[in-house]
Amino acid sequence: MVQKYQSPVRVYKSSFELIMAAYERRFPTCHLIPMFVGSDIMNEFLSEDGAVHVVERRCKLDVDAPRLLKKIAGVDYVYFIQKNSLNRRDRTLHIEAYNESFCSRIVIHEYCCYTVHPDNDDWTCFEQSASLDIKSFFGFESTVEKIAMKQYTSNIKKGKEIIEYYLKQMDDEGITHLPRWTPAPKQLQECPTSTSTHSVSPAQNIPTITTSDGHGSRDGPPTSSSPPEALSSTPDDKLDADYIKRYLGDLTPLQESCLIRLRQWLQETHKGKIPKDEHILRFLRARDFNIDKSREILCQSLTWRKQHQVDYLLSTWNPPQVLHDYYAGGWHHHDKDGRPLYVLRLGQMDTKGLVRALGEESLLRHVLSINEEGLRRCEENTNIFGRPISSWTCLVDLEGLNMRHLWRPGVKALLRIIEVVEANYPETLGRLLILRAPRVFPVLWTLVSPFIDENTRKKFLIYAGNDYQGPGGLIDYIDKEVIPDFLGGECLCEVSEGGLVPKALYRTPEELESEDIRLWTETIYQSASVFKGAPHEIVIQIVDASSVITWDFDVCKGDIIFNIYHSKRSPQVPKRDALGAHGITSPVCNNVQLIDKAWQLGRDYSMVESPLTCKEGESVQGSHVTRWPGFYILQWKFHSMPACATSSLPRVDDVLASLQVSSHKCKVMYYTEIIGSDDFRGSMTSLESSHSGFSQLSAATTSSSQSHSSSMVSR
């Protein structure tokens, strides 16, 4: 497996020329990097005007590895080739490095770049990326990988310190300014041995063994395959190291890399819908910075948020009066660490009454609004206290808890709420203080704890009786001035006291079911399953030509092909129980095929847009200006199907076979809308892109000639 590293942008508040002078002091060796034993210049090139200077070195490293491993490998030192391309005119230094030793067994590449800060000519930016691919190493592949990662991260940490050490040394020598390069009348070319290629191409990847030095020189391995996008993109696309420390906290180099790489992936696949960095970091922490696992749960959460319009919850959710009167919970100042403090008097709440009066869905939505408010307060407190605050503290008072709280539907509702919160708000609970736990609490804890993540359970502190009042109790976590009055403090807590919900407010199951649909499951998006051999299709009837069909869909699972067809004939919607006799339910509920098996492409229907292949996790928006009236069929098809295949209702055996293999199932969530020709004329430029059908939406939508089919795709 290839390990990759991508650094944040590190900023030196010194000019590029001073940084270059400091960097050069690290050669031919550097006492601050013990493993960097020495280096020899192999090739050197200086342009005639002196603007371009390329130096290729062979660097000797004494890797800190077990003696047995060195003996087996038969070497005491390893060698790297490092190529530095300095362009004084453009004020850039590109560093590429790769391993010479064991290159058939281990492939190490590193790429680094020093550039001028985009907003301040007197500051310098530094970025680096690297990759490590261990193909084989005498059966010690895992050991070598660990050694490489450990030493590389160690060098990364030292890098900035080393540059600053030499800057201070220069300052002590009275060197505080160096002039910028200016063209000279003529300079001689030296050692024209090597033609310098100053390719700009930042890498995206994680560590690999060492490289020659710690920050610039150590910045060796070239990531030759990496694309130039990172360095050519706008500064807003990147994360600054100082920003990370100020707003996200102290992260290790590898944690920074995971954050940056996951963020870059989201920018490429979820344009316009990128969550905040703090939120991305929470999902990474929830999966111990495993990028693949974090990406999976984050994508699922983003889809869930979009489907249920959670981003608008705080502005649209108006809690019923019953919640104001009987829900004993609310925000109350903050704890000693600056975390927002939420107080819940669970023992005083009539959980059965709330569920009967409101329904499970309304309670869930209210809890979600609390979590959304918690995210907002964390961001606010981060600005107030000047340090990263990404979680809140919850204080739960259990005085009054009894067997009525173990009412089965109430526990079921609680478990569902826990499940939803755990999946979509990971690492938001900093500490949970459970006070005055009665004897019945262990019963409730036994029911609930299996559904709580292990990392979350470690944050629980449970106090029985009045234990919370002594040393190690509440006073250790909350300032005395804000301890609520009902816990013996002096601060008035405005949280409702709860109480029994009058039975007159109870609602029938039918009323609650209707309300649940209105509050929770109503969404403009629909979900569909796509199987191998069973595409999902919807039909849109167009009466007026030049109307516009718009769509917005997310590929939640698997890869699909999106097609649009036109037919003068109305397709017949299959009966819901068409396959029911065979016990097949999944394709029927959210999978519909409309194109009759007897239809022929070109005779009964025609393709009006080129097929579009969409990968898992992508979000696609587009539009089609209709040329003719009739019936337009939007089709989502399993990716492995032939692009030209026209599907009809599959044979039962085919569907059964496809259902047995989970990898043969895709999921999409979609929304379509028809805009009448009269309504759409005024916004033609916002819908058109190019005549060529599906086109990538880049910086801005471009307006084309008066084409009849146009579409925009944003991923």
Side-chain angles (χ1 to χ4, degrees), residues 259-277 279-281 283 294-295 298-299 302 617-619 715:
L259 172 63
I260 293 167
R261 290 163 57 207
L262 181 54
R263 188 176 183 266
Q264 286 176 344
W265 182 85
L266 288 169
Q267 287 173 331
E268 294 168 2
T269 59
H270 288 69
K271 288 186 178 178
K273 300 179 297 183
I274 306 299
K276 294 183 178 180
D277 299 322
H279 204 53
I280 298 175
L281 188 57
F283 283 87
S294 303
R295 178 168 53 201
L298 178 55
C299 286
L302 292 177
E618 290 183 344
S619 179
R715 299 181 179 176

Side-chain angles (χ1 to χ4, degrees), residues 206-382:
I206 210 169
T208 96
I209 284 195
T210 121
T211 8
S212 16
D213 19 292
H215 190 238
S217 161
R218 138 211 97 187
D219 314 88
T223 254
S224 47
S225 59
S226 43
E229 303 146 14
L231 292 179
S232 58
S233 57
T234 61
D236 292 340
D237 293 335
K238 301 178 182 179
L239 290 183
D240 180 277
D242 294 334
Y243 160 83
I244 290 177
K245 186 173 183 180
R246 166 63 178 82
Y247 292 98
L248 304 180
D250 290 321
L251 303 179
T252 68
L254 296 188
Q255 289 173 345
E256 290 178 339
S257 173
C258 291
L259 172 63
I260 293 167
R261 290 163 57 207
L262 181 54
R263 188 176 183 266
Q264 286 176 344
W265 182 85
L266 288 169
Q267 287 173 331
E268 294 168 2
T269 59
H270 288 69
K271 288 186 178 178
K273 300 179 297 183
I274 306 299
K276 294 183 178 180
D277 299 322
E278 304 94 293
H279 204 53
I280 298 175
L281 188 57
R282 290 185 181 103
F283 283 87
L284 283 167
R285 283 176 169 149
R287 292 297 180 268
D288 295 325
F289 287 87
N290 182 304
I291 285 191
D292 292 334
K293 293 180 179 179
S294 303
R295 178 168 53 201
E296 180 182 358
I297 61 173
L298 178 55
C299 286
Q300 291 172 355
S301 180
L302 292 177
T303 300
W304 170 82
R305 293 182 71 88
K306 180 176 180 179
Q307 183 175 7
H308 299 297
Q309 304 174 60
V310 178
D311 290 337
Y312 307 101
L313 190 58
L314 289 179
S315 59
T316 58
W317 169 242
N318 185 21
Q321 190 61 39
V322 176
L323 283 172
H324 286 293
D325 295 339
Y326 299 101
Y327 187 87
W331 294 99
H332 178 78
H333 299 282
H334 55 78
D335 69 5
K336 287 187 174 182
D337 295 322
R339 297 189 185 104
L341 177 63
Y342 190 83
V343 174
L344 182 65
R345 304 185 68 179
L346 184 59
Q348 303 300 312
M349 277 204 308
D350 179 8
T351 53
K352 178 178 180 179
L354 288 172
V355 173
R356 292 290 300 274
L358 294 169
E360 182 181 330
E361 299 294 338
S362 292
L363 277 177
L364 174 58
R365 175 151 294 200
H366 185 60
V367 172
L368 295 181
S369 71
I370 293 171
N371 280 270
E372 289 295 306
E373 174 65 15
L375 295 178
R376 188 195 67 78
R377 286 175 179 258
C378 284
E379 187 175 345
E380 186 178 81
N381 283 15
T382 295

Side-chain angles (χ1 to χ4, degrees), residues 21 27 201 238 260 299 312 336 384 574 623 634 645 710:
F27 297 100
S201 140
K238 301 178 182 179
I260 293 167
C299 286
Y312 307 101
K336 287 187 174 182
I384 292 174
S623 61
L634 275 59
S710 62

Side-chain angles (χ1 to χ4, degrees), residues 58-281:
R58 187 170 187 256
C59 301
K60 182 179 179 181
L61 305 179
D62 183 8
V63 179
D64 183 15
R67 181 170 298 181
L68 176 62
L69 186 60
K70 287 186 176 182
K71 188 172 182 180
I72 292 174
V75 297
D76 290 324
Y77 303 101
V78 294
Y79 293 90
F80 275 76
I81 304 300
Q82 184 189 74
K83 181 179 179 181
N84 293 355
S85 302
L86 173 64
N87 189 320
R88 296 186 177 92
R89 179 187 294 106
D90 297 339
R91 304 178 79 196
T92 61
L93 172 66
H94 298 294
I95 305 165
E96 298 177 70
Y98 58 91
N99 61 303
E100 180 184 75
S101 303
F102 307 108
C103 57
S104 62
R105 297 177 178 272
I106 303 174
V107 179
I108 300 173
H109 283 278
E110 187 182 41
Y111 178 91
C112 306
C113 183
Y114 287 91
T115 57
V116 176
H117 193 285
D119 299 325
N120 190 327
D121 286 348
D122 293 326
W123 290 0
T124 306
C125 296
F126 171 78
E127 283 184 89
Q128 73 184 104
S129 58
S131 63
L132 165 67
D133 184 9
I134 301 178
K135 302 181 183 298
S136 65
F137 202 83
F138 313 107
F140 290 91
E141 292 80 13
S142 177
T143 302
V144 171
E145 181 178 336
K146 290 178 181 177
I147 293 172
M149 302 288 275
K150 178 181 178 182
Q151 297 207 352
Y152 191 81
T153 52
S154 173
N155 283 344
I156 291 171
K157 290 180 180 178
K158 288 181 181 177
K160 190 172 183 179
E161 298 173 9
I162 294 171
I163 289 290
E164 289 175 345
Y165 169 84
Y166 286 117
L167 285 173
K168 184 178 184 305
Q169 188 181 79
M170 291 165 59
D171 186 66
D172 293 341
E173 295 171 4
I175 304 173
T176 58
H177 173 76
L178 290 174
R180 297 185 186 180
W181 177 87
T182 54
K186 189 171 183 179
Q187 295 191 14
L188 296 178
Q189 183 172 337
E190 300 178 13
C191 310
T193 12
S194 137
T195 310
S196 110
T197 2
H198 19 298
S199 61
V200 178
S201 140
Q204 349 144 1
N205 313 339
I206 210 169
T208 96
I209 284 195
T210 121
T211 8
S212 16
D213 19 292
H215 190 238
S217 161
R218 138 211 97 187
D219 314 88
T223 254
S224 47
S225 59
S226 43
E229 303 146 14
L231 292 179
S232 58
S233 57
T234 61
D236 292 340
D237 293 335
K238 301 178 182 179
L239 290 183
D240 180 277
D242 294 334
Y243 160 83
I244 290 177
K245 186 173 183 180
R246 166 63 178 82
Y247 292 98
L248 304 180
D250 290 321
L251 303 179
T252 68
L254 296 188
Q255 289 173 345
E256 290 178 339
S257 173
C258 291
L259 172 63
I260 293 167
R261 290 163 57 207
L262 181 54
R263 188 176 183 266
Q264 286 176 344
W265 182 85
L266 288 169
Q267 287 173 331
E268 294 168 2
T269 59
H270 288 69
K271 288 186 178 178
K273 300 179 297 183
I274 306 299
K276 294 183 178 180
D277 299 322
E278 304 94 293
H279 204 53
I280 298 175
L281 188 57

Side-chain angles (χ1 to χ4, degrees), residues 411-671:
V411 174
K412 177 187 172 185
L414 177 60
L415 294 180
R416 185 188 173 201
I417 289 171
I418 290 173
E419 182 181 14
V420 173
V421 171
E422 283 282 316
N424 297 285
Y425 300 92
E427 297 297 316
T428 53
L429 182 65
R431 184 179 293 116
L432 180 65
L433 302 170
I434 299 177
L435 309 184
R436 303 198 280 196
R439 291 185 177 182
V440 74
F441 173 72
V443 180
L444 180 62
W445 178 248
T446 301
L447 294 172
V448 172
S449 60
F451 296 87
I452 301 174
D453 179 76
E454 182 180 353
N455 289 334
T456 304
R457 289 203 301 269
K458 293 177 181 177
K459 302 171 184 176
F460 285 32
L461 296 172
I462 302 172
Y463 299 90
N466 293 323
D467 292 348
Y468 69 92
Q469 294 178 342
L474 204 56
I475 194 67
D476 285 9
Y477 305 102
I478 301 175
D479 288 327
K480 182 179 179 181
E481 295 76 18
V482 298
I483 293 179
D485 50 355
F486 63 85
L487 292 174
E490 301 176 356
C491 185
L492 177 64
C493 184
E494 298 180 355
V495 172
S496 168
E497 295 183 0
L500 292 174
V501 178
K503 291 187 177 181
L505 298 177
Y506 285 12
R507 306 172 73 181
T508 65
E510 292 75 18
E511 289 175 326
L512 290 175
E513 183 179 357
S514 172
E515 184 73 5
D516 288 348
I517 293 174
R518 183 181 69 81
L519 283 172
W520 188 243
T521 60
E522 183 184 72
T523 171
I524 61 175
Y525 292 90
Q526 300 181 56
S527 296
S529 296
V530 179
F531 302 91
K532 189 173 184 180
H536 178 70
E537 297 163 345
I538 62 173
V539 62
I540 297 174
Q541 183 176 4
I542 296 296
V543 177
D544 299 323
S546 297
S547 295
V548 180
I549 301 172
T550 67
W551 57 83
D552 176 3
F553 65 85
D554 288 340
V555 185
C556 307
K557 179 181 179 182
D559 300 341
I560 59 102
I561 297 175
F562 180 59
N563 290 305
I564 305 178
Y565 300 101
H566 171 265
S567 175
K568 296 179 181 178
R569 301 167 54 185
S570 172
Q572 297 299 313
V573 179
K575 294 181 181 179
R576 180 166 289 277
D577 60 350
L579 300 177
H582 302 278
I584 302 173
T585 56
S586 294
V588 175
C589 295
N590 59 357
N591 177 279
V592 178
Q593 296 95 53
L594 301 173
I595 300 176
D596 192 277
K597 61 182 179 181
W599 283 16
Q600 292 184 12
L601 183 63
R603 185 191 70 182
D604 301 292
Y605 66 109
S606 59
M607 182 180 290
V608 296
E609 290 275 8
S610 300
L612 176 69
T613 301
C614 308
K615 301 293 185 180
E616 180 176 326
E618 290 183 344
S619 179
V620 181
Q621 300 85 36
S623 61
H624 174 79
V625 184
T626 61
R627 185 187 295 263
W628 315 279
F631 299 91
Y632 287 80
I633 300 170
L634 275 59
Q635 180 192 76
W636 291 267
K637 186 169 60 174
F638 190 82
H639 177 256
S640 67
M641 294 289 290
C644 60
T646 59
S647 47
S648 58
L649 280 172
R651 293 182 299 109
V652 172
D653 292 342
D654 292 337
V655 178
L656 280 172
S658 69
L659 290 177
Q660 291 172 358
V661 185
S662 61
S663 62
H664 290 171
K665 179 180 178 181
C666 304
K667 286 186 178 181
V668 295
M669 189 178 74
Y670 65 91
Y671 165 71

